[in-house]
Structure formats: structure tokens, C-alpha cells
Amino acid sequence: MKDEPLLSPEVLLRAYAAGIFPMSDGADDRDVFWVDPHMRGIIPLNRFHAPRRLRRTMRKRPFEIRIDTAFAEVIKGCATPGPGRRSTWISEQIRRAYTRLHERGFAHSVECWRDGELVGGLYGVSLGAAFFGESMFSRARDASKVALVHLVARLKAGGYRLLDTQFVTEHLMRFGAVEIPRHEYHLLLDRAVKATADFMAFRADDDPDEVLRLAMG
């Protein structure tokens, strides 16, 4: 890796395949460090749960869901401090690096739009049949949660085997997130990155009942 830029697409993809991901200490930090947690967060795709209130919200269709139409804006939203989040680990260097990954087809965004405005979403890295969730944001109630349900439906429709959340938070636990030991994660990761999946296989983002059926089925 020493002859390549630290966060080149090639370096990033090799790191993800090895179970490692980069972070920084703050939005203005010019340095990055590599993380390989002893306990890894995942959402088992066969055990995903959407709370009842969120299901009711989704059936009201509060947002238009778009895929990969505003990746740079999504990562900017994730990097912007907001209510309950005073700082961010997403530096300018990381934003540029993941935008390059997106341009090569290895990073995707799930976006919630309302009245022509981006009000929430998430982004992550796709490699083989593994999806590595990076960050999410909301400017409208439940926007990031709705994006997560749509992501899970899309992953299941596309044949993905692993949804990596890096860490587990109380918020993610409500959707079925669990911690597993590093060695167990690496076994799952190895099988997933050697398989194939299609992030664009799903074509029913405008049908909340189908999204919920897939995500929770």
C-alpha cells in the first residue's frame, strides 16, 4: 500500500476486504487511523426489525426515496453536526475518498427527499455481497430510519449476505443490530466478499408495503 495514496479506492477496498475501516478524530483532522474492533456491529439480514410506529410512518409515504442521485450531498449531511451530534469523524479527506469510491461504483447512498429537498439518508460501501454502513443523517423526523429500512430491503433483494454497522448503538439495536467477536465477523466477511450481489436489483422503492415485506421477511 505504501506506493498508493492513503485513502485511494484500491487501498480502501483492500482494507474493507480485510475487515478494517478508516476514521478521523474530527471534521478538520488531516490524519486518519485504521480500526478493526474486537467486537463488530452487524445487522443480521434475516433478523431485521422495523418498529411498529416506523412501519405506520412509512405507509404514509412521507419521503421520495432516491438511490445514488446525491451521494456527495449525503456524505456532507452525515459530516455536518446536528441535534445530538456535536462533532463528526468524517473529515474532508474521508469525504473525498468515499466520493471517489462512489464514482467507481463501490459506494452508494439511499436518500430521502421531500418537496425537492434532501432531508436525510445514509451511505456505505459495497464489496461483493457485503455492505458496510458508514453513516446516516436526518433533517426530518424518521428520515434516516426510513432510509435504513429501504437499504435492508435493497440488500435482501440484491442477494447480500452481510450488513456491517461497525459498532452497535442503542438506536441500531432497535433494528436488530448485534455485536459479534472479531474472528466470527472475519469468517462472515470472507464468505460475503467472495460472493456477488446487485445493489440495483430492487425496483420498488415507491411501494412501502413491498419494502417492509422484503426488509422484514
Side-chain angles (χ1 to χ4, degrees):
M1 294 185 184
K2 66 180 180 179
D3 295 325
E4 298 173 281
L6 179 62
L7 292 182
S8 71
E10 293 78 13
V11 168
L12 279 172
L13 292 175
R14 287 203 295 271
Y16 275 96
I20 306 168
F21 58 89
M23 296 185 73
S24 68
D25 283 325
D28 299 323
D29 192 356
R30 295 185 179 183
D31 297 320
V32 299
F33 56 93
W34 297 96
V35 183
D36 183 11
H38 291 287
M39 298 296 292
R40 191 70 166 238
I42 66 167
I43 295 179
L45 290 171
N46 62 347
R47 299 207 299 259
F48 179 78
H49 172 73
R52 183 176 299 176
R53 186 188 66 79
L54 179 59
R55 283 178 266 160
R56 291 198 300 266
T57 297
M58 288 186 61
R59 292 189 173 103
K60 296 176 183 178
R61 305 188 186 195
F63 310 114
E64 175 192 357
I65 305 301
R66 303 181 191 175
I67 305 298
D68 286 350
T69 69
F71 183 89
E73 288 84 354
V74 169
I75 196 170
K76 180 179 179 181
C78 292
T80 302
R85 182 176 59 187
R86 295 182 180 180
S87 61
T88 176
W89 56 270
I90 304 172
S91 65
E92 181 60 32
Q93 181 180 196
I94 286 176
R95 286 172 56 184
R96 291 195 303 268
Y98 285 84
T99 300
R100 289 193 294 270
L101 268 187
H102 168 67
E103 291 167 353
R104 295 197 183 189
F106 290 102
H108 299 284
S109 58
V110 179
E111 307 152 10
C112 292
W113 294 77
R114 188 169 63 192
D115 299 326
E117 179 184 357
L118 179 67
V119 295
L122 58 81
Y123 77 97
V125 174
S126 177
L127 183 61
F131 190 87
F132 308 87
E134 288 297 315
S135 189
M136 58 178 65
F137 80 103
S138 288
R139 298 187 186 122
R141 183 176 179 177
D142 289 335
S144 64
K145 298 175 186 176
V146 170
L148 178 59
V149 180
H150 277 262
L151 171 68
V152 171
R154 180 167 291 272
L155 297 182
K156 294 177 79 168
Y160 282 79
R161 300 185 180 188
L162 175 65
L163 173 52
D164 174 5
T165 66
Q166 299 178 347
F167 304 104
V168 169
T169 64
E170 185 177 342
H171 170 71
L172 289 175
M173 288 174 64
R174 287 182 287 177
F175 294 91
V178 296
E179 281 188 325
I180 60 174
R182 179 192 288 161
H183 70 274
E184 183 179 337
Y185 170 78
H186 279 263
L187 291 174
L188 295 175
L189 175 66
D190 185 60
R191 289 194 289 265
V193 298
K194 291 177 179 176
T196 59
D198 182 2
F199 192 80
M200 295 301 178
F202 189 58
R203 291 286 187 269
D205 286 300
D206 60 345
D207 184 345
D209 288 319
E210 178 64 10
V211 171
L212 288 165
R213 183 192 68 80
L214 257 178
M216 298 180 62

